[in-house]
Amino acid sequence: MVFFFVLSIVCLCLAVFFRRFLAVAIAGLLLFAAAAPALAVEPVKITKDDTALDLTATTEIYHNQGDAFQVSTAAGPDGIRRRIEVRATSKTHEGDWAVFALANVTDEQLERVIVAPHYRLVNSGVFWPDLGSERIVAITPSEGFALDKLPSDDADVFRLTLNPGAVVTFVAELSSPKLPQLYLWEPNAYKDTLNSFTLYHGIVLGISGLLAVFLTILFVVRGTSMLPAAAALAWSVLAFVCVDFGFLGKLITITAMSEQVWRASAEVALASSLVIFLFAYLNLNRWHVHLGYATFAWVVGLVLLFGVAVYEPEIAAGIARISLALTAVAGIALIVYLGINRYDRAILLVPTWTLIVAWVIAGWLTVTGRLSNDIIQPADAGALVLIVLLIGFTVMQHAFSGTGYHQGLFSDLERQSLALTGAGDTVWDWDVARDRVVTIPDISMRLGLSQGALNGAVRNWLPNLHPDDRDRFRTTLDVLLEHKRGRINHEFRLRADDGHFHWLHIRARPVLGANGEIIRCVGTVADVTEQKNTVDRLLLDAINDNLTGLPNREVFLDRLQMLLTLAGGSDTVRPTVMIIDFDRYGEVNDRFGIAAGDNILIALTRRLRRLMKPQDTLARLAGDQFGLILAAERDPARVADFADAISKAIKVPITFANQEINLTASIGLASFVDQQESAASLFADAELAMVRAKRGGGDRVEPFRPAFRGVVLDKLQLETDLQKAIERGELTMAYQPVIGLEAGELAGFEALMRWDHPKRGNVPPSEFIPLAENSDLITPLGMFALERTISDLAEWETLAGKLPIFVSVNLSSAQLLNNGLYNDIRTLLTRMNCDPRRLKLELTETVVVKNPEQARLVLTRLKELGLSLALDDFGSGYSSLTYLTRFPFDTLKLDRSLVTEQSERRDIVLRSVIAMAGEMGMDVVAEGIATDEDAAMLRAMGCRYGQSYLYGAAIGPDAVSRLLKEQTQRARRV
């Protein structure tokens, strides 16, 4: 053991030294390779039947090629090879590139995704293992635009489209010098593959977590040394599985670099806990004191690796993997030696350690690339959980066995008695000769039956057994009696007095008489109902919603795909998909609480189920969104009637807390019309129809129309273009003059945003501002407007001199609710040396009403900073007067609809509002003044400022500068 520890320390030192040496040598080789020209590649031929292709072997990797990389393309249909140059998009690019080519040999357009996993256990290596990282920054084709990168936590995924007969060469900009695997997937096949592993990952994680908690509880109940060691190993396995399955990234934010640290730390924890468990279980300190010292030194060395993992995770993981192999070998030697000395613990550890050795060998074959299939990595994690399960069973036999273990001093009968006592199970004793079963203590009492009801002949058990288990139970006993050897390891269901079935587990072995016949069968029977229910709940929760009991989204899509498959070969199956989203459900949660909202969902689920037939499927997709597959109706008119019945059923008031709650629903509907249509596409069509119904005001049924797709795609493209426009600085600011009505002179400007799209031309703010508000772009868009306006205002201050010029900027609700708005504005004003009294912030009532208390606090602080505040569009919404008293507004902007309306009552309303604002010390700005007569009337009423196209359209910053120069010169002449 001391030798192993010293070897680990030496490996650590040599690893650091040789890594730096190898880094220099490899760098030299790569520089030499960089001088070689990049050759053309041979294309991989793609057909529509190819769902998954491994492109790793056909991909050429080039290192240290710099930011600009040239390569010859694959020969196109005309046989010509071309030379292309690709430039890096990342500033941290280190000159690593990958090149591959694809050829569409079909006459159809093919949609595919390119997948580069971040981490693969296969061929990751033992020394300096590849612990994963982001692999590809961008992919540039030899024709067309750069590929779109799809969001994914554990792989770099890019979408591509291959035209019929096209031969395209792709150049991938690598973020790491290694590219262990590159796949080409058909999109639906890739999605199905991911979904197929989701259930497995959930079950493995659930069982691993239950084992860790269970062993920890056992440690609390029984404080023997082997239990905390087993619990530590279980928690280490759980940590390893969480990192390997990507579950940890859903709990905390993990970067590409920190993922390597977490993975290395998990492997170090696994190696450390396995050494500790081997020492604690075999109780090595009782055999020789030096074994305790050696193990302590070994564990300390592994604990130090946690610090190494932070700075050099590859070295720490490599030493941890070596430690696992050495632990397996040391365990074999110890088990053989102690087994020869008749030490019971060593003998009982043989099955578990055999599995550990097999796992280590399989792991070595995997990391060295000898096992390379895609299921070996999740199977490796599952085997770890199985090992912990076996360890849990092993340690339980000792945890409750008392203090009577001494090596080689007990007879077999004594050891069996101690094992039964420690396990806490009920003894099951079947006297075969007399056909009499006895359970100690009597299990009948636990099931609520009369005392001794299950004692006597074995046939007394049959009437209480579950009908599905009777034949299997009888057959098991008959086979045992016939072969006169073997064991009983059987689970069955037994009915209790209350009618419920309990799961029982019998483990027994036969006792042979002098004539070779079975005279008794003795073992244990345990009630495993709770464990069975736990596993069933885990499986049920993986496919069903735990609130309503309905199938979840994955099951919904799976059933839909099955129906679509049947529909392709039969005219009698024509399913219709309905997506149901309840209107204003969030208001119910806000008013009555989440518990009330859950009860309402359960009630609505019952209503919808009453309308369905057995062949229909109802599922809860998310929150208050439900999906329904209507398979019982084919006629469009009957489908429409069914959708209308659903809408009416939802509208029926629900009584809760002596109040009636009225709900409506937006329902999207899409029917099967194309044999090539997939479940995902049909589902997406119904979802688009639902969104259309929601945007149309809700409480309606909207059938799908193909035009919906174009609208959504246009908005998505416009959103992408807007994000690029912010990054590239394509947005500009224009300023509309605000005129003082008394003197007719310039008083200020309102800042308006302009977007000159490279392809669409001028995009109006009414189109891209709502788009930004519905995404995450409104905050950077608002900061751009503030920064550009304050910058221009600071420059104009030198031109305007003492002229009372101000500039107003509009604020969105997202900016107002941002806690950093105050600091951002103060920083901008200080940095650009701008007078805050010249800056005015405009807000609408809808912005303030979303969070009045937060808005009041933020506006008060901004007011203290010296800024002016204006309530915009007064007269177009609620026009609540409480906002004028609760918030520190100093300017009221009349909406153009109030100014331009031609009616006798308009003058009365305008006069009242302007007089009220004057009494409150507020300035009034009238928007949309159309004529000089309207301006004169407003001036007579006391309105101070006017803003409209009558006084000029919005102009650029340069035009504002010229206007201010003329205004200043005119003021000096006067």
Side-chain angles (χ1 to χ4, degrees):
M1 301 286 279
V2 176
F3 169 75
F4 295 147
F5 171 71
V6 173
L7 180 60
S8 299
I9 299 299
V10 172
C11 288
L12 175 60
C13 298
L14 291 178
V16 176
F17 172 77
F18 281 108
R19 185 179 187 184
R20 299 186 181 276
F21 174 79
L22 289 176
V24 175
I26 292 173
L29 291 175
L30 292 179
L31 287 174
F32 174 78
L39 303 177
V41 294
E42 291 299 323
V44 177
K45 297 180 180 179
I46 312 299
T47 66
K48 62 181 180 180
D49 296 327
D50 295 328
T51 58
L53 293 177
D54 190 349
L55 304 179
T56 310
T58 59
T59 301
E60 297 179 1
I61 307 296
Y62 299 91
H63 300 286
N64 288 359
Q65 298 295 319
D67 293 336
F69 175 61
Q70 294 185 356
V71 66
S72 296
T73 65
D78 55 2
I80 299 177
R81 298 181 182 271
R82 295 173 174 81
R83 194 76 172 172
I84 61 174
E85 181 180 89
V86 180
R87 294 188 175 273
T89 60
S90 175
K91 296 181 180 179
T92 60
H93 183 61
E94 297 180 0
D96 300 318
W97 304 84
V99 181
F100 59 95
L102 302 176
N104 183 359
V105 297
T106 67
D107 56 355
E108 299 179 6
Q109 189 181 67
L110 299 180
E111 298 285 341
R112 292 292 185 270
V113 291
I114 297 174
V115 181
H118 291 170
Y119 174 73
R120 276 180 59 85
L121 181 65
V122 175
N123 207 22
S124 60
V126 177
F127 301 98
W128 299 301
D130 183 3
L131 299 180
S133 66
E134 293 184 358
R135 303 296 181 181
I136 300 177
V137 178
I139 298 180
T140 303
S142 58
E143 58 183 47
F145 298 98
L147 304 186
D148 292 333
K149 189 171 185 179
L150 304 179
S152 178
D153 295 331
D154 54 0
D156 297 320
V157 184
F158 297 83
R159 181 191 289 117
L160 65 87
T161 302
L162 290 175
N163 294 322
V167 179
V168 183
T169 301
F170 298 86
V171 179
E173 178 186 350
L174 302 182
S175 57
S176 67
K178 296 180 181 179
L179 185 61
Q181 196 74 43
L182 190 67
Y183 290 100
L184 182 70
W185 282 92
E186 195 274 331
N188 291 329
Y190 177 63
K191 185 183 299 182
D192 293 340
T193 301
L194 293 181
N195 292 337
S196 65
F197 281 102
T198 301
L199 177 59
Y200 173 80
H201 289 174
I203 294 175
V204 172
L205 278 170
I207 296 176
S208 180
L210 286 175
L211 285 173
V213 173
F214 177 71
L215 290 175
T216 303
I217 294 174
L218 280 182
F219 162 60
V220 175
V221 175
R222 301 284 293 185
T224 56
S225 60
M226 70 178 71
L227 285 174
L233 180 60
W235 284 109
S236 300
V237 170
L238 178 60
F240 179 87
V241 172
C242 285
V243 175
D244 195 57
F245 288 171
F247 183 73
L248 186 63
K250 301 182 183 301
L251 301 178
I252 60 176
T253 302
I254 297 179
T255 63
M257 189 61 191
S258 63
E259 183 178 3
Q260 298 182 7
V261 176
W262 283 104
R263 194 177 300 278
S265 300
E267 294 190 14
V268 172
L270 185 61
S272 306
S273 58
L274 187 60
V275 174
I276 296 172
F277 169 76
L278 183 65
F279 173 83
Y281 181 82
L282 296 179
N283 203 8
L284 296 181
N285 60 339
R286 66 178 288 185
W287 294 94
H288 202 289
V289 66
H290 292 314
L291 290 176
Y293 294 150
T295 304
F296 177 78
W298 194 339
V299 173
V300 169
L302 290 174
V303 170
L304 293 177
L305 284 181
F306 284 104
V308 178
V310 177
Y311 301 97
E312 295 290 342
E314 297 87 356
I315 294 177
I319 296 178
R321 294 181 180 185
I322 295 172
S323 176
L324 284 171
L326 294 177
T327 306
V329 175
I332 294 174
L334 291 170
I335 291 173
V336 171
Y337 173 77
L338 298 177
I340 294 174
N341 288 274
R342 301 181 64 191
Y343 187 49
D344 298 272
R345 291 191 182 184
I347 297 174
L348 291 176
L349 194 59
V350 169
T352 301
W353 208 258
T354 302
L355 184 58
I356 291 176
V357 172
W359 178 80
V360 170
I361 294 174
W364 175 75
L365 293 175
T366 302
V367 299
T368 56
R370 290 171 174 81
L371 290 178
S372 58
N373 56 65
D374 291 334
I375 65 172
I376 186 64
Q377 185 168 338
D380 176 82
L384 268 179
V385 177
L386 179 59
I387 289 172
V388 175
L389 185 62
L390 289 178
I391 288 175
F393 288 146
T394 304
V395 299
M396 280 183 61
Q397 297 181 18
H398 300 282
F400 301 96
S401 62
T403 59
Y405 270 98
H406 299 282
Q407 58 183 54
L409 298 180
F410 290 147
S411 65
D412 288 342
L413 184 59
E414 289 172 327
R415 282 194 291 268
Q416 291 172 10
S417 299
L418 286 172
L420 290 175
T421 303
D425 293 340
T426 299
V427 176
W428 187 78
D429 184 2
W430 178 27
D431 187 343
V432 178
R434 294 188 298 169
D435 191 17
R436 177 175 176 80
V437 175
V438 176
T439 55
I440 306 173
D442 189 4
I443 198 173
S444 304
M445 305 297 290
R446 297 185 185 179
L447 300 176
L449 303 174
S450 60
Q451 185 175 0
L454 296 177
N455 293 341
V458 73
R459 62 176 178 270
N460 293 345
W461 289 59
L462 296 178
N464 293 314
L465 287 174
H466 192 280
D468 296 338
D469 297 338
R470 291 172 185 169
D471 292 339
R472 191 157 50 93
F473 181 77
R474 186 186 299 109
T475 302
T476 301
L477 299 182
D478 291 343
V479 170
L480 182 70
L481 296 177
E482 179 181 353
H483 293 279
K484 301 180 181 61
R485 55 188 173 89
R487 295 187 178 186
I488 298 177
N489 190 357
H490 185 69
E491 288 184 350
F492 57 92
R493 286 161 288 183
L494 197 66
R495 185 175 62 248
D497 185 59
D498 58 2
H500 292 87
F501 284 93
H502 288 243
W503 278 97
L504 300 181
H505 187 189
I506 287 184
R507 289 181 293 181
R509 61 182 301 176
V511 179
L512 300 180
N515 58 356
E517 297 293 331
I518 297 178
I519 59 174
R520 302 184 78 88
C521 192
V522 182
T524 62
V525 57
D527 190 335
V528 293
T529 305
E530 185 176 352
Q531 293 91 318
K532 278 286 188 180
N533 291 339
T534 300
V535 174
D536 291 342
R537 280 196 300 270
L538 286 174
L539 294 175
L540 186 64
D541 290 344
I543 62 174
N544 287 89
D545 173 49
N546 56 10
L547 175 65
T548 61
L550 296 175
N552 59 17
R553 186 188 189 97
E554 287 73 20
V555 177
F556 181 83
L557 291 174
D558 184 69
R559 292 185 182 177
L560 178 58
Q561 187 61 53
M562 180 183 65
L563 285 174
L564 293 181
T565 303
L566 295 176
S570 174
D571 294 334
T572 60
V573 181
R574 287 294 182 269
T576 297
V577 178
M578 298 182 185
I579 305 298
I580 306 168
D581 191 277
F582 300 116
D583 303 325
R584 301 185 307 279
Y585 177 74
E587 297 178 7
V588 175
N589 278 339
D590 294 339
R591 182 179 178 185
F592 298 98
I594 296 178
D598 291 344
N599 290 330
I600 290 173
L601 287 182
I602 294 173
L604 292 174
T605 300
R606 293 171 180 168
R607 290 184 184 178
L608 296 180
R609 276 179 165 172
R610 295 191 190 103
L611 301 175
M612 297 167 49
K613 294 183 179 180
Q615 57 266 48
D616 301 332
T617 298
L618 179 66
R620 186 186 181 192
L621 306 178
D624 61 333
Q625 189 177 103
F626 287 71
L628 192 147
I629 304 175
L630 181 62
E633 302 293 348
R634 295 176 52 198
D635 183 62
R638 296 181 67 87
V639 171
D641 292 340
F642 182 83
D644 186 59
I646 290 179
S647 180
K648 291 179 179 178
I650 295 172
K651 289 181 182 179
V652 176
I654 298 175
T655 303
F656 183 84
N658 297 324
Q659 296 188 42
E660 285 191 352
I661 300 175
N662 297 288
L663 288 177
T664 58
S666 299
I667 303 175
L669 183 150
S671 298
F672 173 81
V673 293
D674 187 358
Q675 294 186 359
Q676 302 298 324
E677 196 161 18
S678 65
S681 62
L682 190 60
F683 178 87
D685 292 344
E687 200 168 30
L688 286 176
M690 182 274 294
V691 173
R692 187 79 174 197
K694 180 76 70 174
R695 291 178 178 174
D699 189 17
R700 58 189 296 179
V701 178
E702 187 73 42
F704 170 77
R705 291 190 291 272
F708 293 172
R709 294 174 183 161
V711 173
V712 173
L713 291 176
D714 287 345
K715 290 188 176 181
L716 291 176
Q717 183 61 46
L718 188 62
E719 182 178 339
T720 303
D721 293 345
L722 180 58
Q723 184 174 6
K724 293 179 180 179
I726 297 174
E727 297 172 354
R728 299 171 181 173
E730 296 177 357
L731 299 169
T732 58
M733 300 301 297
Y735 301 92
Q736 186 174 24
V738 178
I739 303 300
L741 297 179
E742 186 67 30
E745 296 181 350
L746 179 67
F749 300 92
E750 180 181 0
L752 304 173
M753 192 173 296
R754 295 292 183 261
W755 180 18
D756 188 11
H757 194 280
K759 295 181 179 180
R760 301 190 181 191
N762 186 25
V763 181
S766 59
E767 184 174 352
F768 70 83
I769 293 295
L771 186 66
E773 290 178 343
N774 294 328
S775 63
D776 297 331
L777 300 178
I778 190 62
T779 299
L781 201 67
M783 285 306 301
F784 166 81
L786 281 171
E787 185 174 1
R788 185 63 60 85
T789 301
I790 294 175
S791 175
D792 291 340
L793 180 57
E795 181 180 348
W796 297 337
E797 284 183 351
T798 60
L799 299 176
K802 297 183 179 180
L803 292 177
I805 300 299
F806 65 86
V807 177
S808 59
V809 186
N810 290 280
L811 282 183
S812 66
S813 58
Q815 290 176 276
L816 188 61
L817 299 180
N818 184 5
N819 294 327
L821 177 64
Y822 172 80
N823 293 329
D824 291 338
I825 294 179
R826 186 178 63 176
T827 301
L828 289 173
L829 292 172
T830 304
R831 188 180 67 192
M832 298 179 183
N833 195 22
C834 179
D835 186 359
R837 293 173 298 179
R838 294 181 180 268
L839 183 64
K840 181 175 296 187
L841 302 179
E842 294 187 5
L843 304 93
T844 62
E845 288 180 86
T846 55
V847 170
V848 175
V849 77
K850 289 189 176 181
N851 195 332
E853 293 302 321
Q854 173 76 3
R856 185 177 60 82
L857 293 175
V858 174
L859 293 179
T860 301
R861 295 188 66 190
L862 292 174
K863 185 68 175 179
E864 294 172 353
L865 193 61
L867 304 176
S868 299
L869 301 175
L871 181 61
D872 196 10
D873 296 341
F874 188 83
S876 62
Y878 298 104
S879 300
S880 176
L881 301 181
T882 58
Y883 296 129
L884 302 180
T885 59
R886 292 182 60 189
F887 300 97
F889 293 113
D890 49 38
T891 301
L892 192 66
K893 296 194 70 173
L894 301 178
D895 187 71
R896 66 181 66 251
S897 61
L898 185 61
V899 175
T900 58
E901 182 182 356
Q902 300 297 325
S903 64
E904 297 179 356
R905 297 184 178 182
R906 182 198 66 166
D907 296 347
I908 300 174
V909 174
L910 287 176
R911 186 176 293 106
S912 301
V913 172
I914 295 173
M916 176 191 64
E919 291 293 332
M920 298 177 67
M922 301 173 64
D923 293 330
V924 180
V925 180
E927 293 183 299
I929 301 176
T931 62
D932 292 334
E933 290 77 8
D934 289 339
M937 178 194 65
L938 290 168
R939 183 175 62 249
M941 292 179 181
C943 180
R944 187 173 182 183
Y945 301 108
Q947 176 185 345
S948 69
Y949 284 99
L950 180 65
Y951 304 111
I955 57 179
D958 295 336
V960 172
S961 299
R962 292 192 298 269
L963 182 62
L964 291 176
K965 285 182 181 179
E966 296 174 359
Q967 190 90 352
T968 304
Q969 293 174 359
R970 189 182 306 113
R972 289 176 180 173
R973 287 196 298 267
V974 174

